[in-house]
Amino acid sequence: MGKPNISEGGRGFQLRYAVVILCFVGTLLAYMERTGFALVFTVMAKEAGLATDVKGGVLSAFYWGYATSQVPGGWAASRFGGQAVLTGSYLIWSLVTISCPRTVAGEGAVLHMWLVRVAIGASQGVIFPAIHTVLAQWIPANEKSRAVSLTTSGMYLGSSLAMATFPSLIDSYGTKGELLTVGVLGLLWVAAWNGFSPDGLRARGCAQGMTPSYSQHSSDMDIEARKKDIACCGSKAGVPWGALMSSAAVWSIIFSNFTFHYVFYVLNSWLPTYFEQQLGVRLRDNRFASMLPYLMMFFGSNVGGVLGDRFIQSGMPVSSARKALNTVGFLCCALAMVGAPFSRSFIVAAVCSSIALGFAALARGGFSINHMDIAPRHAGVLMGISNTAGTLAGVVGVTVTGWLLKLGEHSPDGGWVGCPAMAVMTPVALHVRRSPLTTVCSATRSGSSRLPPSFVYWQPLSSH
């Protein structure tokens, strides 16, 4: 995105609110696409008689593409701006979705679908790094938890809406109707993003007096530090790879992101199959119960954001606030995940999976905001790094789940009891010690790298 107007005198509508709303809707649509494809492919795989391991391979194809574009997407957003990167992403995956094959029957059809999912994954992989770059630029420190949590909660509401509406859409209009609907919605978002995003408003002369990153609670030091950071956005300054990759704080974020996405992607991809094959329940007959896990994530994410900001505003150290949300969220998620497959009741299974995902979303109020805490200038790059680990969790989790189900297909539980075994490892990510990360990521080349505590939450090392 271009350099924003940083006038302090603006009143009325704050441009940062438009940024957050548009990013929220964008993540909502992206996850409607992902969840919708799981529903569509369940129908396609049944019609083609695909084995569960083949189905798992196609479902995991998205994450192979997704993993390849995370770090390049963060770099591109920092270098060329979030608006351009997001526009390109939504244009590509929307058009590819519209042209997606309607069946996986026939020679080469599975490979064709696999390649399509890789392409869609690669185009969507840049979304969160680009969004983090935008939010780091436009959102003040005391609003970051709520802004990031609301934006990412679009993932969960999108999945919930897909579960609620797409089964009927598929029943009435087939897989073609669902794919066309999602693709058109993505193209409409591109039009809205380019019309109402900061660059779009400024192009029409409508952004005067709108302030990008300050609230009434922002201090003068926050504003001055933020001006310096915004002035460097889009610069050609190199990424401090050594400082990032040698930091225990960064690796803590990476492990946490892997943990969250292992749980989320496995449930997101396999929950429809579990309900229909193991419990004999059709999603179109139990819409609310199938929506419940994602509604709980929407609720948990925003509760985590509010609590995170309030903890900090009450004087709690930022690191303690982030760790508290991580610890409670992941431990409760692990307990619920382990208990879910032992149930033979659809309602109990839906409640357990809902609790697991709700607390996992709560944990995002800790590690997800951390990207902007410790490396605001390179938040997109850092998000790309950690989200690559999260994507690998999706590849591993979705694929391994398919193998486990294939191996256990003749057992009484159908192999489902072994699938959440990784959940018991979630506490491992909680206690990785976060050491200070040099804020060379926020420092100017001249002068001190130290920024106000309300803006940078880890004390910086000396300037370079």
Side-chain angles (χ1 to χ4, degrees):
M1 302 174 71
K3 294 181 180 179
N5 178 356
I6 55 175
S7 168
E8 289 110 3
R11 294 184 178 181
F13 180 76
Q14 298 291 306
L15 186 52
R16 66 182 183 276
Y17 300 154
V19 171
V20 173
I21 292 170
L22 286 167
C23 289
F24 166 78
V25 175
T27 59
L28 181 148
L29 291 177
Y31 273 77
M32 286 186 73
E33 187 282 325
R34 298 189 203 183
T35 304
F37 181 78
L39 297 171
V40 163
F41 194 65
T42 296
V43 174
M44 291 182 179
K46 185 176 181 180
E47 292 175 348
L50 298 183
T52 54
D53 55 337
V54 176
K55 181 179 178 181
V58 174
L59 289 173
S60 67
F62 174 93
Y63 306 113
W64 288 105
Y66 198 70
T68 62
S69 59
Q70 293 287 323
V71 176
W75 173 85
S78 298
R79 179 66 179 84
F80 302 109
Q83 176 162 329
V85 173
L86 288 170
T87 296
S89 167
Y90 280 77
L91 274 175
I92 293 171
W93 73 252
S94 297
L95 293 173
V96 174
T97 297
I98 291 173
S99 61
C100 183
R102 275 40 172 179
T103 180
V104 287
E107 184 178 357
V110 171
L111 177 60
H112 185 190
M113 182 63 78
W114 190 89
L115 293 173
V116 165
R117 294 306 295 168
V118 170
I120 292 177
S123 63
Q124 289 196 16
V126 305
I127 292 175
F128 281 103
I131 284 177
H132 267 63
T133 298
V134 172
L135 295 182
Q137 180 180 355
W138 286 84
I139 306 302
N142 61 305
E143 296 177 4
K144 282 181 180 177
S145 289
R146 283 169 290 176
V148 173
S149 295
L150 177 61
T151 298
T152 57
S153 71
M155 299 161 50
Y156 322 129
L157 189 59
S159 297
S160 180
L161 289 174
M163 285 288 193
T165 59
F166 287 164
S168 292
L169 183 64
I170 294 169
D171 284 346
S172 300
Y173 300 100
T175 57
K176 178 180 179 180
E178 190 277 344
L179 295 169
L180 182 62
T181 298
V182 171
V184 169
L185 288 174
L187 294 177
L188 290 175
W189 184 88
V190 171
W193 177 245
N194 283 275
F196 297 100
S197 65
D199 285 354
L201 289 170
R202 280 200 304 275
R204 301 199 307 274
C206 300
Q208 294 181 354
M210 296 182 180
T211 57
S213 60
Y214 317 122
S215 71
Q216 60 181 334
H217 303 293
S218 296
S219 68
D220 292 339
M221 293 180 69
D222 286 328
I223 292 173
E224 290 304 314
R226 205 69 191 111
K227 284 181 178 179
K228 292 178 182 179
D229 219 43
I230 290 171
C232 293
C233 288
S235 70
K236 296 183 179 180
V239 176
W241 295 106
L244 290 174
M245 300 313 298
S246 63
S247 169
V250 169
W251 283 101
S252 180
I253 293 173
I254 290 172
F255 290 140
S256 295
N257 211 332
F258 183 95
T259 298
F260 170 82
H261 282 99
Y262 188 97
V263 173
F264 178 69
Y265 284 140
V266 167
L267 290 181
N268 185 263
S269 296
W270 286 104
L271 205 57
T273 302
Y274 175 67
F275 285 156
E276 294 190 18
Q277 290 187 1
Q278 185 67 11
L279 301 179
V281 175
R282 298 184 305 175
L283 292 180
R284 60 179 174 270
D285 296 332
N286 295 273
R287 300 286 170 74
F288 179 75
S290 61
M291 292 169 56
L292 185 60
Y294 305 107
L295 291 175
M296 283 292 291
M297 292 194 83
F298 178 79
F299 178 74
S301 177
N302 286 289
V303 168
V306 171
L307 289 177
D309 282 343
R310 288 190 177 180
F311 287 162
I312 294 167
Q313 291 166 5
S314 68
M316 179 183 289
V318 173
S319 60
S320 298
R322 305 300 190 221
K323 289 178 182 179
L325 291 172
N326 268 21
T327 301
V328 172
F330 281 146
L331 284 175
C332 293
C333 172
L335 294 173
M337 277 288 288
V338 170
F342 290 98
S343 171
R344 293 296 178 266
S345 164
F346 172 71
I347 297 299
V348 174
V351 169
C352 285
S353 58
S354 299
I355 292 173
L357 290 173
F359 277 104
L362 182 78
R364 290 202 72 155
F367 74 86
S368 188
I369 293 89
N370 239 169
H371 303 80
M372 294 186 289
D373 290 338
I374 64 177
R377 185 167 300 167
H378 299 287
V381 173
L382 182 53
M383 183 62 181
I385 294 170
S386 75
N387 229 28
T388 298
T391 304
L392 293 176
V395 174
V396 172
V398 174
T399 304
V400 168
T401 298
W403 292 343
L404 289 172
L405 294 176
K406 181 69 174 177
L407 291 172
E409 61 185 354
H410 299 300
S411 64
D413 58 59
W416 289 100
V417 170
C419 294
M422 270 291 290
V424 300
M425 297 181 64
T426 55
V428 172
L430 307 181
H431 302 295
V432 177
R433 181 178 179 272
R434 286 181 179 163
S435 64
L437 171 66
T438 174
T439 51
V440 65
C441 309
S442 297
T444 56
R445 290 187 176 273
S446 61
S448 172
S449 66
R450 187 177 297 277
L451 294 179
S454 58
F455 177 59
V456 176
Y457 299 122
W458 274 265
Q459 292 297 319
L461 302 181
S462 59
S463 300
H464 295 281

